[in-house]
Amino acid sequence: MIYFVFAMKSEAEIFINEYGLKRKNSVFSEYSDEERKVIISGTGPLNCSIATTYLLTQNNRGKNDIIFNIGVMGADDENIPGKIYLPNKISNSWNKKSYYPEIRMKNNFTETEITTVMNSEDSYKYKYSDMESYAFFKTALNFFDIENISVIKVKSDNISDHKKIISEDIRNVMKNSFNSINSYTESYRNFLMSYGKDISDIESIAENSPFTFTQKQILKNALKYYMYKNNEIPDIVKNINEKAKSASERKKILNEIIRYIYE
Amino acid sequence: MKSSDIFMNNFFHHIYVEKKIYEYEITQNIIKKFKNSGIILIENYKDIFNRKNQNYNFQKKSPDLILAFKNENYIYKGSPNCQNMGFEEYYYITQTYNCIYECDYCFLQGMLDSGNILIFVNTEDFFNSVKSIDNKPEKLVSVSYESDMLSVNGIYPLAEKWLDFSETLNNIKIEIRTKSLNTSYLKKGLNKNIILSWSVLPDEIIKKYEKRTPELSKRIDAVNRAAEYEYKINLAIEPIIVVKNFENIYSEFIKYIFKNIKAEFINSVSYGFYRIPSEYIKKIKRISQSELTFYNYILENNNYTYGRKITNEKSSFIQKEIEKYYKGDIYSL
């Protein structure tokens, strides 16, 4: 599953349309299909934090799930609006604390530091600023490992122009950057999935087995040993549910499995 | 190579630098070597290195570099799990954490939160801490215990610095543990207080469990180069991993070692079986993808091991095999 947190509908629209996501009945503005979930948080750190928490507590998260905060930011640099950035340091303007997202996959974006501000008037004080990413990162860290969390920002305007940004401008920069961002998010998911063997079958076999909690842990450990060694699940665990009817049978069967696997 | 590796950034794509040491000469020298790396200034290395929710093994695939200043705790007394080569007192220092190799059995994956490489640049403080214990009885200080200093010597030539410093010591031997082939730092005449400990294992084990490390024959070449400069050399056969055809693999391996290194070059041989402190195993199991982690170990004295029965039996086999070719000091753990 890929989770997306956007602050504004105008940032999310191109993603919702291109992915053909369906509106969900929710207290937030949410859209989803089988593989992606989008939530629109509203602007500002507090809204972002609440919406991210809501999104992640409503759904069962998998090990390879990832979450992105995508949106526009103000930038005081020479690049034109529409330029895409990956923040490698996210600070906040109120107590100067920072988070450092992991950027381990090759990409064509520009890395930068960014400061999250409480209100848009403060953005003029920083070269790169937004109103969500710090709160997003801090919140998502409660649910995910650091490599499963990413922030992507698109330059909406030159901060020094002091020009009011309208929704149409945002729609345009997001529309123009959609292909690049989509390519990155999809590759990133594949990248994380290709790292490591899929052990969901092991979890499932152990959880559905007739064993006690402790016996299940022993079985899982043994199956991981076998899987990492032989790249397959041993036949001996097939049909264990049918064989093990009583406590003594369960103990006997588990001992047989353990002996077979570690021999 | 896994498909994920192709998409990984190069090593040290990011260098995190504590603000207070950014202007240090050593820091600038290191930064200059990595022109394509992004430099990210940080307040404290712990903000990166000690943060939670990191995947040590994932980071090891393309580690970043962290440069920092250590404020305290420069030297530690070694635990009974450490190989002390017969010294009454054993210490270790941690000027660097982690290395470029990826060993499935590494205890650091259970001890540390981060797989990035951390170097403390205030070398003098580490020297002073060693100086402060330079008294009787004679001590062993390992300077490459939670890293492989030589494998990261290309980033900054710490080994040279320790070699020079070792000449000023009276009652301390400095041990540098390594799997590296890097011997260019060795200098004739700077060897009286240095023990070079080369980790060696059979190629079957190296290929399977020591990713990115040099093959055995190349390590032996490196040992021979060091021997030419008359360094004291310890061969560390560690961790011994019990595999199918154990006797055959390890007897051939030991024979090969002593056929290719003159026994008189070797100061001592140490060996020890795979063991992992119980406090680390839970964390390692969360991130490991190696069968080695999930073996049916036995808990003994707060360590997961092969158990006394297997260890005793295999240990006496290893001891006898070594004794066939080597009459000097042999230490086991």
Side-chain angles (χ1 to χ4, degrees):
Chain A
M1 182 65 68
I2 308 184
Y3 297 94
F4 296 95
V5 178
F6 295 92
M8 295 176 283
K9 178 84 183 285
S10 52
E11 294 172 320
E13 239 168 41
I14 182 71
F15 290 82
I16 294 165
N17 294 339
E18 288 289 330
Y19 296 146
L21 305 180
K22 299 277 176 270
R23 176 92 197 233
K24 208 180 140 191
N25 194 11
S26 159
V27 292
F28 281 91
S29 198
E30 275 191 89
Y31 301 81
S32 63
D33 66 8
E34 293 298 305
E35 295 183 345
R36 302 174 186 88
K37 287 186 191 297
V38 163
I39 194 163
I40 296 166
S41 66
T43 53
L46 192 57
N47 284 333
C48 180
S49 188
I50 293 166
T52 305
T53 305
Y54 180 82
L55 178 69
L56 296 178
T57 47
Q58 297 296 306
N59 296 288
N60 292 324
R61 296 169 309 282
K63 197 173 184 298
N64 290 320
D65 289 354
I66 45 177
I67 185 164
F68 291 92
N69 170 228
I70 300 174
V72 293
M73 69 168 182
D76 189 10
D77 66 10
E78 69 287 357
N79 292 316
I80 57 167
K83 174 91 179 164
I84 304 168
Y85 295 84
L86 286 183
N88 55 28
K89 179 177 182 178
I90 303 171
S91 307
N92 71 54
S93 64
W94 50 95
N95 67 9
K96 314 295 178 202
K97 286 193 172 164
S98 304
Y99 286 108
Y100 303 88
E102 296 268 294
I103 303 175
R104 296 204 187 266
M105 193 182 79
K106 288 177 183 161
N107 63 80
N108 295 318
F109 302 149
T110 301
E111 291 189 24
T112 187
E113 296 181 13
I114 187 172
T115 303
T116 297
V117 296
M118 282 282 193
N119 51 65
S120 55
E121 288 76 37
D122 286 344
S123 63
Y124 303 108
K125 297 174 188 165
Y126 303 96
K127 191 170 182 185
Y128 300 100
S129 64
D130 79 338
M131 294 179 66
E132 290 82 28
S133 54
Y134 181 87
F136 163 78
F137 209 89
K138 183 177 170 68
T139 308
L141 263 179
N142 291 308
F143 300 92
F144 282 112
D145 280 352
I146 205 157
E147 70 265 15
N148 298 50
I149 309 167
S150 194
V151 175
I152 303 173
K153 292 287 158 178
V154 183
K155 177 174 176 176
S156 57
D157 59 315
N158 287 310
I159 293 174
S160 51
D161 289 350
H162 293 268
K163 184 187 147 199
K164 185 153 177 61
I165 301 300
I166 59 169
S167 296
E168 202 48 38
D169 295 332
I170 294 171
R171 268 189 206 96
N172 281 335
V173 293
M174 295 306 290
K175 200 173 163 189
N176 292 336
S177 55
F178 172 78
N179 285 340
S180 301
I181 294 176
N182 175 56
S183 165
Y184 180 78
T185 55
E186 293 296 317
S187 305
Y188 197 76
R189 178 173 58 173
N190 295 336
F191 169 68
L192 282 186
M193 284 174 78
S194 66
Y195 169 75
K197 291 192 176 85
D198 183 4
I199 55 161
S200 53
D201 284 352
I202 291 178
E203 299 285 342
S204 164
I205 288 169
E207 286 313 317
N208 295 321
S209 71
F211 298 127
T212 63
F213 177 80
T214 309
Q215 287 173 327
K216 282 177 182 173
Q217 299 307 311
I218 294 168
L219 178 64
K220 260 190 229 180
N221 194 75
L223 289 178
K224 283 181 189 172
Y225 172 81
Y226 193 91
M227 165 78 118
Y228 290 134
K229 190 174 181 189
N230 304 301
N231 221 7
E232 61 180 18
I233 289 170
D235 285 345
I236 195 169
V237 293
K238 280 182 185 160
N239 307 322
I240 40 176
N241 284 350
E242 291 160 26
K243 293 180 209 160
K245 301 285 183 208
S246 65
S248 62
E249 277 174 346
R250 285 195 285 273
K251 196 176 170 190
K252 192 178 150 207
I253 287 169
L254 184 64
N255 284 340
E256 277 171 20
I257 294 171
I258 297 302
R259 209 174 306 124
Y260 174 81
I261 286 180
Y262 290 118
E263 242 173 26
Chain B
M1 183 187 273
K2 278 187 180 179
S3 58
S4 58
D5 296 352
I6 302 163
F7 300 108
M8 282 273 182
N9 281 325
N10 295 332
F11 272 37
F12 314 135
H13 188 71
H14 302 97
I15 303 179
Y16 297 94
V17 182
E18 281 188 347
K19 278 179 189 166
K20 61 179 169 243
I21 58 147
Y22 182 73
E23 297 296 342
Y24 280 32
E25 195 183 339
I26 169 170
T27 309
Q28 288 302 316
N29 284 339
I30 294 170
I31 288 173
K32 270 183 209 152
K33 285 187 187 163
F34 300 97
K35 292 194 169 62
N36 295 323
S37 301
I39 309 299
I40 303 168
L41 293 180
I42 56 176
E43 294 297 330
N44 189 310
Y45 75 92
K46 291 176 185 171
D47 295 343
I48 298 289
F49 199 69
N50 293 3
R51 60 191 172 169
K52 300 294 169 204
N53 294 23
Q54 302 187 83
N55 185 326
Y56 181 94
N57 287 341
F58 187 65
Q59 293 179 339
K60 286 283 282 186
K61 300 274 170 201
S62 73
D64 288 329
L65 179 62
I66 304 166
L67 302 178
F69 186 97
K70 194 162 197 191
N71 291 310
E72 55 187 356
N73 299 331
Y74 303 105
I75 193 159
Y76 300 91
K77 197 137 200 191
S79 91
N81 273 350
C82 305
Q83 196 68 261
N84 61 14
M85 288 190 277
F87 282 80
E88 206 174 303
E89 291 190 24
Y90 170 74
Y91 294 82
Y92 65 96
I93 67 118
T94 52
Q95 190 175 4
T96 56
Y97 280 104
N98 290 323
C99 69
I100 59 169
Y101 304 135
E102 239 185 297
C103 299
D104 287 4
Y105 52 74
C106 185
F107 68 97
L108 294 178
Q109 58 188 318
M111 191 182 109
L112 303 175
D113 292 313
S114 173
N116 293 320
I117 291 176
L118 168 62
I119 299 178
F120 294 109
V121 299
N122 46 321
T123 310
E124 284 298 324
D125 290 325
F126 290 92
F127 288 167
N128 290 337
S129 71
V130 175
K131 267 278 181 206
S132 72
I133 57 161
D134 188 9
N135 45 43
K136 294 277 179 192
E138 196 171 44
K139 300 165 186 71
L140 180 68
V141 176
S142 181
V143 297
S144 187
Y145 185 62
E146 281 162 354
S147 176
D148 185 323
M149 190 182 271
L150 298 187
S151 82
V152 296
N153 202 51
I155 300 170
Y156 185 70
L158 280 175
E160 278 101 314
K161 305 238 174 255
W162 279 96
L163 244 58
D164 289 338
F165 170 69
S166 71
E167 287 297 297
T168 68
L169 300 170
N170 299 311
N171 298 292
I172 288 176
K173 295 282 180 268
I174 298 290
E175 184 208 20
I176 301 179
R177 292 187 185 196
T178 192
K179 296 182 177 79
S180 168
L181 307 180
N182 184 359
T183 52
S184 59
Y185 64 95
L186 297 177
K187 295 173 201 163
K188 201 158 192 165
L190 289 185
N191 51 17
K192 76 172 183 198
N193 291 324
I194 294 283
I195 298 173
L196 297 173
S197 255
W198 250 283
S199 298
V200 285
L201 284 172
D203 265 330
E204 290 88 338
I205 304 293
I206 291 173
K207 275 183 198 138
K208 202 162 181 192
Y209 302 113
E210 294 188 337
K211 297 173 196 83
R212 290 202 203 119
T213 66
E215 59 193 77
L216 178 63
S217 63
K218 290 186 175 157
R219 290 188 211 179
I220 285 178
D221 289 345
V223 169
N224 284 324
R225 286 197 298 276
E228 281 173 26
Y229 284 138
E230 296 167 6
Y231 279 85
K232 293 181 190 73
I233 286 161
N234 172 59
L235 287 183
I237 304 174
E238 276 202 89
I240 293 174
I241 291 165
V242 178
V243 288
K244 251 188 187 165
N245 301 324
F246 178 87
E247 279 76 10
N248 189 31
I249 287 172
Y250 278 89
S251 66
E252 284 301 314
F253 155 71
I254 291 166
K255 186 173 155 191
Y256 178 82
I257 291 176
F258 289 99
K259 193 179 159 198
N260 290 285
I261 307 172
K262 284 184 188 162
E264 63 260 34
F265 287 166
I266 300 168
N267 191 55
S268 60
V269 177
S270 58
Y271 68 91
F273 283 76
Y274 175 79
R275 60 206 174 274
I276 199 86
S278 57
E279 67 209 83
Y280 300 156
I281 196 78
K282 195 175 167 194
K283 192 169 168 192
I284 296 176
K285 282 188 176 181
R286 194 177 79 83
I287 57 172
S288 172
Q289 296 181 36
S290 168
E291 88 235 23
L292 204 53
T293 308
F294 297 95
Y295 183 73
N296 202 12
Y297 297 109
I298 292 166
L299 185 61
E300 279 176 353
N301 302 325
N302 296 323
N303 282 295
Y304 282 97
T305 71
Y306 288 112
R308 211 161 293 155
K309 187 170 172 277
I310 293 180
T311 309
N312 287 347
E313 181 195 314
K314 307 281 184 200
S315 189
S316 66
F317 172 79
I318 295 285
Q319 179 84 20
K320 277 182 198 150
E321 287 299 307
I322 297 170
E323 283 171 350
K324 278 187 194 170
Y325 311 98
Y326 182 68
K327 304 298 171 209
D329 292 334
I330 302 172
Y331 304 105
S332 68
L333 193 71

